[in-house]
Amino acid sequence: MATLLLLRHGRTTANADGGLAGRQPVELDDTGRAQAAAVGARLRAIPLAAVVTSPLIRCRQTLELALPDAAPVVEDGLVECDYGAWQGQPLKKLAKDPLWQVVQQHPSAVVFPGGETMAGMAARAVETVRRWDARITAEHGPEAIWLACSHGDVIKAIVADAMGIHLDLFQRIVADPGSVTGIRYTPVRPFVLRLNDTGGDLTGLVVPRRGRRRRSRAAESDAPVGGGAGASATSAGSDVPAATDGRK
């Protein structure tokens, strides 16, 4: 399957002020614009098959600065969680609400007043990226790499699904502004290739074109025992036998 890069938008004025933006049309601040430009320099060497984005302006601004030559497709399934009455409120104020501790400890049970459930947000986000990943794979092949620009909680929910952990544990995951997270889906399991990467070289995520040799569907999902030789030498689903750990 194709490789997905999840990009969180750059820092916004709401982030800087300690507020919960939600679906408000908040824009990037100076730091956020610098983050977008910096991640663009890192993404420039990646042959992206497609760029998909949340409809909110902070994501579109991030892509305009990071990938000015791209033509992002707006995808409503990547939009921020609908926090309802919490939207636009200071986080310090929200931390005094009894619902805050439920958000922290049992997010799968959260229903934001006048908004959506956190479980519903997670389900539509995961469905969206898996649907797009299957589409990109069908159109561009299993070596394709594509990018989706979205929001912190949305990205964390997608990562939790990829790691096979319950949504109630997703608050342990971090997705900073301007960060890149890489996920490669396979027929059996996803592989989390990068997490909250804010400065590393991303070219190691590019999957080399295959030769004639092909592996079984089960082998595509095998993890290299012992950790493997790393992205520079191989990748999940490569031709290095798992049992050898990539050593001769």
Side-chain angles (χ1 to χ4, degrees), residues 18-247:
L20 182 63
R23 296 185 179 181
Q24 292 181 319
V26 298
E27 301 190 23
L28 303 185
D29 66 2
D30 289 342
T31 296
R33 286 189 284 271
Q35 289 169 336
V39 77
R42 299 166 60 212
L43 289 168
R44 203 161 294 142
I46 307 296
L48 296 172
V51 176
V52 185
T53 183
S54 158
L56 296 182
I57 190 169
R58 54 192 184 268
C59 288
R60 292 187 283 111
Q61 285 180 331
T62 297
L63 291 176
E64 287 171 3
L65 291 166
L67 300 169
D69 294 330
V73 178
V74 173
E75 169 55 69
D76 290 340
L78 294 174
V79 73
E80 177 66 286
C81 182
D82 184 352
Y83 297 111
W86 275 35
Q87 180 173 281
Q89 299 295 318
L91 293 174
K92 287 183 178 180
K93 176 183 176 181
L94 295 174
K96 299 175 183 178
D97 190 312
L99 184 61
W100 179 270
Q101 285 305 315
V102 185
V103 172
Q104 298 299 315
Q105 305 295 333
H106 191 23
S108 64
V110 169
V111 181
F112 289 103
E116 70 181 326
T117 66
M118 193 158 272
M121 175 275 292
R124 54 102 168 153
V126 170
E127 186 279 330
T128 296
V129 296
R130 286 180 176 265
R131 168 168 46 83
W132 270 95
D133 197 74
R135 173 179 169 180
I136 298 299
T137 300
E139 294 179 357
H140 300 278
E143 296 87 4
I145 186 166
W146 65 286
L147 183 141
C149 187
S150 191
H151 309 271
D153 280 348
V154 174
I155 291 172
K156 288 162 59 176
I158 293 169
V159 172
D161 169 75
M163 296 180 71
I165 65 174
H166 199 281
L167 185 63
D168 287 343
L169 301 178
F170 99 132
Q171 299 291 22
R172 303 183 184 194
I173 300 165
V174 176
D176 289 327
S179 66
V180 175
T181 292
I183 298 174
R184 181 168 172 79
Y185 293 98
T186 74
V188 175
R189 64 166 69 87
F191 290 91
V192 178
L193 307 176
R194 298 286 176 93
L195 181 62
N196 196 39
D197 188 328
T198 57
D201 180 5
L202 299 174
T203 57
L205 295 173
V206 178
V207 179
R209 293 286 173 180
R210 303 180 184 186
R212 295 181 179 178
R213 184 180 176 190
R214 292 189 176 274
R215 307 182 75 202
S216 67
R217 285 176 60 86
E220 291 289 338
S221 302
D222 288 349
V225 176
S232 62
T234 185
S235 60
S238 72
D239 287 332
V240 178
T244 68
D245 191 20
R247 294 187 291 267

